[in-house]
Every structure is written in C-alpha cells, then in structure tokens.
Amino acid sequence: MKYKCLAAALLSSLPLFAHAQTNVQIYGVMDAAIAIEDTDAPGTDRRTVVNSGNQSSSRLGFRGTEDLGNGLKALFNIESGVSLDTGAADSTMWGRRAVVGLQGEFGTLTLGREYSPIAAVGAATDILGQGMFGSNLSAFGTNRMTRRLSNSVNYKSNALSGFTVNAAYSTGENNVDSAPSGDLLGASLEYKNGGLYLGGGYHQTERLNSGDDKEMAFGAGFTFGAFEIKGNWLKAEPELQPEYTNANIGASYAMGANKFFINFQQQKFDRNDAKGNTVSIAYTYSLSKRTNLYTTYAQLRNNGRAAFGINSSSTNVTPPATALGADPSVFTVGLRHSF
C-alpha cells in the first residue's frame, strides 16, 4: 500500500513539474564546413580543413523566464560554444553568455557575462551577421573592440519611439591601490523605425595608469523589400597602442530560398599606415526554417606594412605578424542547423 501511495504522489506531481519547466528552453546551433584556407605567408601552402562555425558559432544554450507578477519577470541565460569539428568546448564552459536578471516596465537588468553595448551596434550593422568570412568580428579582440563583458552589470531600456539605450559597467575587480581598476563603462543608443536602423556606442576602460582605452562604433542599415544594406565604422584607441579602425559596407538580396551577400571591409592601424582591404561574397540556401547550406569566398589585400586577417564567427585566416604584405584568402562550403 505504501508503494502505491508513493507512486500516486509522484504521478500527481508530474503535471506540476512539467508546467514549471515550460518557460525553460534548450536551444543551439550546429554549424560545420569544409574550407580551403591560404594565409599567403612565405613557406606556407593552402590547406583543406573541416571548421566549426563558419556562418554561426556552434553552441548549446539554456534560457528561461519566471513570471513574478505585476509585469515583472526573472530571466536567465547560459550559453556554451562547441567546436563541432573536434567535439571540444571552444572557450570557457559558459563563455558565450552567462546572466541572470529582471525584466519589467523599466527595461532589462542583467548580471554576469554579457554582450557589450558596442557589440549590439556591430551585430546589427554587419551584413554577414558577424558570421561568414569577412565579417566585422575582425574588429574585436586584444587591443581592439570589446565584445563580451565579464563581471558586468547591464541595462537595456524598452523601446521608446524607436529608441533603445544600452548601458554597462564591467568591474576589473582589482584591489591594488597603485594599479588601474580595469573597470569598463559603456553605453550605446539604437534607433529602429520600419526598415531603418541607426546605432552608436562608446566604451572607456581603465587599463593603464597612463590613460584610458577608448572604443567607439557607429552603424546603419536599411531594408527595402528583398534588398538590405548595412555599414559600420568601428574604432579602438588603446592607450600606448596603435589606433585600429574597421569600416564595412555590404548588401544582400533574398530571392525565395536563396540569399546573396557582398561586403567590403577596410582595416587600418593609424600609427604605421598599415592597411588591408577585404572583399567577401557569400550565398545561403534554406532547406527549411532551421537548416541551410552556405558558401563564402573572401580575399584580403594587405599593403606592405600590414598582416591583417579574415574572420568568420569561430575561425580566422591570418598570416603571421612577420608576413607583412601577405594576402590571405578562404573558400568554404558548409551546413548550418539551429534548434
């Protein structure tokens, strides 16, 4: 009789348990491609590789909300990158995003590891979706732009007359009096109205005692029917390091299941006049709402003072820093599935 009562109690709790889990979502992207890469560096030859994430970074994530009443919700999101070619994690376990927060009439407040205010502008104005080779992801990294913020407090307003404000504070957690704090302050303003998008953002980081690093981004986009045009200008001014500029202009055209892309990118270091120009073309074919094929070709021309590379969402083709004037190129064919 005791076992029957226990079984009945467990069965009666299942609907309640299932209901409590309906606001939790498991999602992800699995993206793999065959690529032919050539850094054009002396003593090297082109190679054929299997890559993960040449359109979108492969990932696994969990997100959910809880209704707290009176229009207030609790939310969370943890997301981990996956190297689909090897099965290994591509970074820290939950390094893509790891936040908990509250959402209501005041907007959204999150704590944890979050995308930066400038990242919002960069993502919204990259015709390649910060994915395929030639994307503006080449603007992010050491002594360049900051894309994700650890140890951060973040705020995003609800849209008001098309305007959205993003603000962030990331603490360097440094407790040495004689050293800079490492703190980052950032904000961005976005405007959306129909097919029009405008955005601008600014970061300032206390990295050195001699001065602060500064980052800025401006971008725009316009969609009219099957055509889309996007462009952006991204600049990093790290203290005691060369200023870096990345500018993009691109367009796409959708025709049924087919979509065609073209993008031009210029990268520069202002101090030594290093410059590199990249032309990218891409094509995607949708097999369903969640699955598509894609192909990309990108060619970068460096001047004699530069060794810039070509970036996709998870990989890059970059000559060694000593191979000044090398002209990298890449061709890739891949399959992307989201769930």
Side-chain angles (χ1 to χ4, degrees):
M1 177 64 73
K2 290 182 179 180
Y3 293 115
K4 290 182 179 180
C5 291
L6 178 60
L10 289 173
L11 289 172
S12 65
S13 70
L14 286 178
L16 178 62
F17 178 78
H19 176 73
Q21 297 301 309
T22 55
N23 60 354
V24 176
Q25 179 186 6
I26 301 173
Y27 68 93
V29 175
M30 297 295 135
D31 180 328
I34 299 172
I36 301 173
E37 303 176 350
D38 187 0
T39 65
D40 194 41
T44 65
D45 200 358
R46 68 182 59 186
R47 64 174 188 166
T48 301
V49 298
V50 174
N51 282 335
S52 176
N54 282 173
Q55 181 182 359
S56 300
S57 296
S58 298
R59 71 199 72 167
L60 176 65
F62 301 83
R63 60 189 169 207
T65 61
E66 181 187 11
D67 190 346
L68 303 176
N70 297 318
L72 185 65
K73 290 183 179 181
L75 62 90
F76 82 93
N77 185 198
I78 54 175
E79 189 174 285
S80 178
V82 180
S83 293
L84 207 61
D85 51 336
T86 64
D90 73 352
S91 62
T92 303
M93 182 64 178
W94 304 110
R96 290 186 55 83
R97 193 176 189 231
V99 297
V100 64
L102 293 172
Q103 185 178 61
E105 294 181 359
F106 59 87
T108 302
L109 179 70
T110 59
L111 302 172
R113 181 166 170 82
E114 181 64 285
Y115 286 94
S116 71
I118 278 179
V121 177
T125 56
D126 183 12
I127 200 68
L128 299 175
Q130 289 193 321
M132 294 176 283
F133 278 105
S135 76
N136 67 19
L137 284 180
S138 54
F140 296 84
T142 304
N143 293 327
R144 299 189 184 183
M145 315 293 286
T146 304
R147 192 177 181 213
R148 294 182 177 93
L149 303 174
S150 296
N151 311 310
S152 65
V153 182
N154 309 273
Y155 171 75
K156 181 175 182 178
S157 72
N158 295 325
L160 178 62
S161 299
F163 289 94
T164 302
V165 174
N166 302 282
Y169 169 67
S170 173
T171 172
E173 300 190 348
N174 186 7
N175 62 355
V176 179
D177 289 341
S178 60
S181 67
D183 295 355
L184 181 149
L185 285 170
S188 65
L189 178 65
E190 299 178 275
Y191 175 74
K192 299 178 183 178
N193 185 359
L196 175 65
Y197 172 90
L198 300 172
Y202 179 80
H203 294 168
Q204 185 164 314
T205 307
E206 297 180 12
R207 184 176 60 88
L208 298 175
N209 284 323
S210 57
D212 296 340
D213 294 352
K214 302 175 181 64
E215 307 168 12
M216 56 205 77
F218 301 95
F222 188 65
T223 302
F224 48 102
F227 290 93
E228 193 169 25
I229 296 175
K230 293 183 177 182
N232 49 71
W233 182 85
L234 312 169
K235 186 171 186 177
E237 298 179 354
E239 183 70 8
L240 303 182
Q241 296 290 334
E243 295 181 0
Y244 171 84
T245 305
N246 186 303
N248 294 266
I249 183 70
S252 68
Y253 174 70
M255 183 175 61
N258 307 279
K259 194 168 185 178
F260 304 87
F261 305 80
I262 186 168
N263 190 72
F264 173 79
Q265 178 181 106
Q266 183 176 91
Q267 302 179 70
K268 292 195 301 182
F269 280 129
D270 293 346
R271 184 176 298 177
N272 60 359
D273 200 32
K275 184 185 297 185
N277 296 326
T278 304
V279 174
S280 306
I281 56 174
Y283 166 75
T284 63
Y285 180 79
S286 297
L287 299 171
S288 70
K289 289 184 178 180
R290 296 186 296 143
T291 305
N292 70 272
L293 301 168
Y294 65 88
T295 184
T296 309
Y297 177 77
Q299 170 77 62
L300 191 157
R301 299 289 187 186
N302 281 306
N303 67 8
R305 297 170 178 254
F308 292 114
I310 313 169
N311 287 66
S312 73
S313 56
S314 295
T315 58
N316 66 85
V317 181
T318 304
T322 55
L324 299 178
D327 297 329
S329 62
V330 60
F331 172 75
T332 184
V333 177
L335 173 66
R336 176 185 181 273
H337 175 75
S338 61
F339 59 91

